[in-house]
Amino acid sequence: MKTNIKWTGDLAFSGTTPSGHEVKMDAAEDVGGQNSGARPTELLLQSLAGCTGIDIVMILKKMRLDPLSFQMEIDGTRAEENPKRFTHYHIHYLLEGELPEDKVVRAIRLSKDTYCSVYHSLNASMAVSYSINGAKGQQKV
C-alpha cells in the first residue's frame, strides 16, 4: 500500500489515499495550524474505529446476524509527555437489531485479537526506512 502526502503551507498537508480519496490534515490554531483539516491523531482514532467496525459487521453477517444500525463512539487517552501516544481507548458500541450480546462480544474479540490491522499496527514495533529526494537514507531513524 502506498500513499502520497503534500505540504500545502503552514502546518497543513493534503493526501490522496490509494483508493482515491482526498484527506486534509492540519494542526490546531494554538500550535500554529489553521484548522483546515483533521488532526492526524483524530484520523488514527477514526481508523481504529472504522477497522474494527468493518470487521464486526463482516463477522456478524457470517453469524447470520444483521445489524439494523451500528455506530461507535471512541475515546482515546493520550500520554501527557511527547510523543503523546495513545495509552488507552474505549469504544462504546451502539447497535440495533436482534444481536445477542455474546455474539457481539465474540465479534469484538475476533476483530481485536485477529483481524483489525489498525489495532495491531498501533501495538507493533515497526521497522522504519527512508529516502530523501530519491536517495536511500543511510542513517538509522
Side-chain angles (χ1 to χ4, degrees):
M1 184 179 300
K2 189 175 183 178
T3 190
N4 203 359
I5 304 294
K6 182 179 179 182
W7 179 48
T8 59
D10 293 324
L11 299 178
F13 289 82
S14 179
T16 303
T17 66
S19 56
H21 300 280
E22 184 179 4
V23 176
K24 293 183 179 195
M25 296 174 278
D26 197 359
E29 291 174 340
D30 63 339
V31 297
Q34 301 297 316
N35 193 32
S36 66
R39 312 296 172 266
T41 49
E42 293 171 341
L43 294 172
L44 189 61
L45 275 184
Q46 287 211 323
S47 294
L48 178 61
C51 183
T52 191
I54 289 168
D55 290 343
I56 290 166
V57 169
M58 289 174 62
I59 293 164
L60 290 174
K61 287 186 177 282
K62 284 182 183 176
M63 294 176 180
R64 300 186 196 283
L65 298 170
D66 290 313
L68 299 175
S69 71
F70 181 22
Q71 181 177 332
M72 291 169 279
E73 297 169 353
I74 185 166
D75 279 319
T77 303
R78 294 178 66 193
E80 295 290 322
E81 300 297 319
N82 285 327
K84 298 183 182 177
R85 70 179 190 84
F86 284 104
T87 58
H88 177 262
Y89 69 91
H90 173 85
I91 301 177
H92 179 69
Y93 298 94
L94 300 144
L95 298 112
E96 290 182 15
E98 303 263 341
L99 305 166
E101 182 179 352
D102 63 322
K103 302 284 188 186
V104 173
V105 170
R106 177 153 171 70
I108 292 168
R109 282 189 184 134
L110 282 167
S111 175
K112 179 184 165 287
D113 296 340
T114 306
Y115 296 112
C116 182
S117 57
V118 174
Y119 173 79
H120 288 276
S121 295
L122 287 172
N123 289 307
S125 182
M126 288 187 259
V128 178
S129 62
Y130 71 97
S131 59
I132 299 174
N133 297 330
K136 183 177 179 184
Q138 300 301 314
Q139 299 179 37
K140 186 177 178 182
V141 291

